[in-house]
Amino acid sequence: QVQLVESGGGLVQTGGSLRLSCAASGRTFSNYAMGWFRQAPGKEREFVASISWSGGATVYGDSVKGRFTISRDSAKNTVYLQMNSLKPEDTAIYYCATGITTTQLNFNSRGQGTQVTVSS
């Protein structure tokens, strides 16, 4: 089993940027697709982005396309989420998760999450 620790969240103004990190330990990181979800108070969980085990394929949720970029560094067992042009509606707790493929993520594998707050 892979253990995940998210970091990099914080408070940022509208239009700003943040880079989230998700450090993995345990079973072989490079065997898994990885992804990010987010959940805001009173709202349903939302898929944000995912990346294949090789890094060659990425998928994005419609609300973040063109603003967010997911990447991974297998040497560091870390997946990143670069978030640009942030909006107040991006405010949420962000979780990373492992998966079999970019469209089959296991939310139950998530870490503790990292809070992102975008002020207007």
Side-chain angles (χ1 to χ4, degrees):
Q1 184 160 350
V2 177
Q3 288 77 45
L4 303 173
V5 177
E6 301 94 335
S7 62
L11 174 64
V12 64
Q13 291 185 335
T14 296
S17 298
L18 282 174
R19 188 176 80 155
L20 305 183
S21 299
C22 174
S25 61
R27 296 183 65 179
T28 307
F29 170 77
S30 59
N31 288 350
Y32 293 93
M34 299 292 297
W36 291 91
F37 293 91
R38 66 187 182 186
Q39 188 152 24
K43 295 186 178 180
E44 292 188 355
R45 182 175 71 232
E46 180 183 9
F47 167 76
V48 176
S50 60
I51 188 166
S52 63
W53 67 271
S54 68
T58 56
V59 181
Y60 293 94
D62 288 341
S63 63
V64 306
K65 282 181 182 176
R67 299 188 298 122
F68 291 11
T69 302
I70 189 171
S71 62
R72 66 190 297 163
D73 185 337
S74 293
K76 295 182 178 180
N77 284 0
T78 301
V79 63
Y80 303 99
L81 185 68
Q82 178 66 45
M83 306 187 296
N84 298 328
S85 301
L86 283 162
K87 306 174 181 180
E89 51 263 44
D90 294 319
T91 296
I93 299 175
Y94 285 69
Y95 301 94
C96 68
T98 61
I100 299 172
T101 69
T102 55
T103 57
Q104 293 178 287
L105 298 177
N106 177 16
F107 185 67
N108 290 329
S109 67
R110 70 192 183 280
Q112 83 289 348
T114 186
Q115 175 71 49
V116 171
T117 303
V118 184
S119 63
S120 57

